[in-house]
């Protein structure tokens, strides 16, 4: 199947001598967008710090691979990174889940690259969506921006001398979350299965759940080497110990909100009571303690409307 799809999407040229080209060898014209900051993870592997998102790039004789992309409006800057790293086109894209800050670049790069994702990602991107909790509308992607190759449980890709494992996790952040392990470099991209910059987002309207989010973190800890370098979708890299502590926070938060709901409290009452104050340090990211309480509360109501006060 891959060979058939490669015939459909032949990229323009193989990359030559990528590993020997330092960043300073690239000369940018004044009119060209500024590339994002780049951190080297291994000889052939880079993390592109793209306006709050983490994109992993594999660069080598097989071409250019991107694990996650960026919002559509930021793709010119990501294209500048590709040139800076010695590339011209993108051959492969891996989407860790469907959210547009991780897939928007499909709209540009999907014209040249093969896109791989979980089967639920293709389904989500194929349909118009309105997310009531987030008050966001998301139109369906055109065919060229949809994943070409999908899988259900697990998939392995060999690229630039790296064995790359794509592993589907229990629905947590969404129902299409995968983690991507670059075995030889021992680098793991967990997408939005962890927000190392604060409390997480749970997209319960597209299959996510708080309990599933914690389950996914536990699954990562079970599957991965203890010394793996963990790249998160948002925020700095973390260790396995930090991931385990994050899972503990998620489970404890869920338990506290469930207990408060059983006592008849709504989200506003929980917020006023100081619930989850022991986890306030996580409130420095996108969401405050109050936001996190409301998100858990609304997620539980979505799963079972009868769990709310008066239900």
């Amino acid at each position: 199947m891959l060979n058939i799809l490669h015939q459909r999407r032949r990229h323009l040229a193989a990359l030559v001598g990528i590993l020997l080209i330092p960043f300073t060898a690239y000369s940018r014209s004044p009119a060209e967008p500024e590339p994002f900051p780049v951190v080297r993870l291994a000889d052939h592997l880079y993390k592109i710090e793209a306006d709050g998102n983490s994109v992993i790039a594999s660069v080598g004789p097989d071409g250019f691979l991107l694990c996650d992309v960026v919002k559509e409006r930021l793709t010119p800057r990501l294209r500048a990174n590709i040139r800076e790293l010695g590339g011209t086109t993108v051959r492969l894209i891996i989407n860790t889940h469907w959210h547009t800050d991780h897939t928007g670049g499909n709209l540009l790069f999907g014209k040249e690259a093969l896109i791989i994702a979980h089967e639920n990602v293709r389904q989500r991107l194929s349909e118009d969506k309105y997310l009531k909790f987030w008050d966001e509308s998301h139109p369906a992607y055109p065919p060229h921006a949809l994943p070409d190759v999908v899988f259900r449980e697990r998939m392995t890709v060999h690229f630039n001398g790296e064995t790359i494992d794509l592993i589907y996790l229990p629905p947590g952040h969404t129902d299409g979350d995968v983690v991507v392990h670059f075995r030889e470099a021992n680098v793991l991209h967990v997408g939005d299965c962890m927000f190392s910059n604060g409390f997480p987002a749970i997209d319960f309207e597209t299959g996510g759940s708080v309990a599933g989010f914690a389950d996914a973190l536990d699954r990562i800890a079970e599957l991965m080497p203890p010394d793996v370098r963990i790249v998160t979708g948002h925020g700095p890299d973390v260790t396995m110990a930090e991931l385990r502590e994050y899972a503990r926070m998620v489970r404890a938060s869920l338990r506290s909100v469930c207990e408060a709901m059983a006592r008849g409290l709504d989200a506003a009452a929980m917020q006023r009571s100081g619930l989850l104050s022991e986890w306030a340090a996580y409130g420095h990211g996108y969401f405050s303690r109050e936001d996190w309480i409301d998100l858990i509360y609304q997620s539980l109501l979505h799963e079972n409307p009868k769990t709310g006060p008066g239900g």
Side-chain angles (χ1 to χ4, degrees):
M1 181 172 63
L2 282 172
N3 288 335
I4 294 172
L5 289 167
H6 285 163
Q7 290 173 10
R8 173 185 160 203
R9 288 184 171 180
R10 297 177 185 275
H11 66 294
L12 298 180
L15 301 178
V16 179
I18 294 298
L19 300 180
L20 301 178
I21 301 176
F23 296 162
T24 54
Y26 168 68
S27 178
R28 180 171 54 88
S29 68
E32 192 169 348
E34 182 76 21
F36 295 111
V38 174
V39 175
R40 187 190 296 269
L41 301 174
D43 285 345
H44 61 288
L45 211 61
Y46 303 87
K47 182 175 73 168
I48 301 172
E49 298 177 339
D51 195 33
N53 283 47
S54 299
V55 175
I56 290 183
S58 172
V59 189
D62 292 332
F64 212 103
L65 175 150
L66 293 176
C67 181
D68 273 350
V69 281
V70 291
K71 297 176 183 177
E72 182 182 11
R73 65 178 177 81
L74 297 176
T75 51
R77 292 189 65 185
L78 189 54
R79 177 71 83 184
N81 281 109
I82 293 167
R83 296 194 189 98
E84 181 184 59
L85 291 169
T88 53
T89 59
V90 179
R91 185 174 179 189
L92 288 178
I93 291 172
I94 299 171
N95 293 150
T96 61
H97 61 292
W98 77 264
H99 286 158
T100 56
D101 57 331
H102 298 259
T103 63
N106 290 10
L107 293 160
L108 172 65
F109 298 120
K111 296 175 181 179
E112 66 198 51
L114 193 74
I115 304 172
I116 304 173
H118 187 263
E119 60 185 7
N120 290 346
V121 174
R122 182 179 173 91
Q123 180 61 40
R124 294 297 182 186
L125 293 178
S126 300
E127 58 195 16
D128 294 333
K129 295 171 292 302
Y130 173 68
L131 305 181
K132 182 178 179 181
F133 180 78
W134 304 102
D135 190 22
E136 293 179 358
S137 294
H138 297 279
Y141 277 16
H144 79 270
L146 299 175
D148 302 288
V149 178
V150 298
F151 66 99
R152 183 163 296 173
E153 296 296 335
R154 190 166 184 146
M155 181 177 181
T156 299
V157 176
H158 297 275
F159 198 82
N160 288 336
E162 190 77 48
T163 306
I164 307 170
D165 293 315
L166 286 66
I167 304 168
Y168 177 61
L169 295 175
H173 179 61
T174 70
D175 64 2
D177 301 324
V178 302
V179 294
V180 183
H181 185 215
F182 297 82
R183 275 195 224 170
E184 283 72 21
N186 199 23
V187 170
L188 179 72
H189 197 321
V190 298
D192 282 0
C193 291
M194 179 173 176
F195 284 61
S196 59
N197 62 348
F199 290 119
I202 311 292
D203 187 358
F204 54 83
E205 293 173 279
T206 62
S209 77
V210 183
F213 194 96
D215 289 343
L217 290 167
D218 289 344
R219 183 69 174 147
I220 292 169
E222 291 171 5
L223 291 173
M224 291 295 127
D227 61 343
V228 67
R229 178 170 182 168
I230 301 171
V231 175
T232 68
H234 306 276
D237 300 351
V238 297
T239 64
M240 186 61 74
E242 289 170 317
L243 181 141
R244 289 181 183 276
E245 178 65 11
Y246 198 79
R248 191 172 78 86
M249 178 275 293
V250 173
R251 286 203 188 280
S253 297
L254 176 60
R255 183 169 56 251
S256 294
V257 172
C258 285
E259 291 170 354
M261 290 178 74
R263 298 196 304 270
L265 275 65
D266 62 11
M270 295 180 207
Q271 292 163 346
R272 291 193 300 269
S273 73
L275 193 73
L276 307 188
S277 293
E278 66 271 33
W279 306 112
Y282 287 94
H284 62 271
Y286 297 128
F287 309 111
S288 66
R289 176 188 65 87
E290 291 80 5
D291 295 330
W292 178 225
I293 290 172
D294 188 52
L295 196 156
I296 298 173
Y297 181 83
Q298 297 300 333
S299 176
L300 291 170
L301 285 183
H302 183 82
E303 293 173 30
N304 183 5
K306 294 183 180 180
T307 59

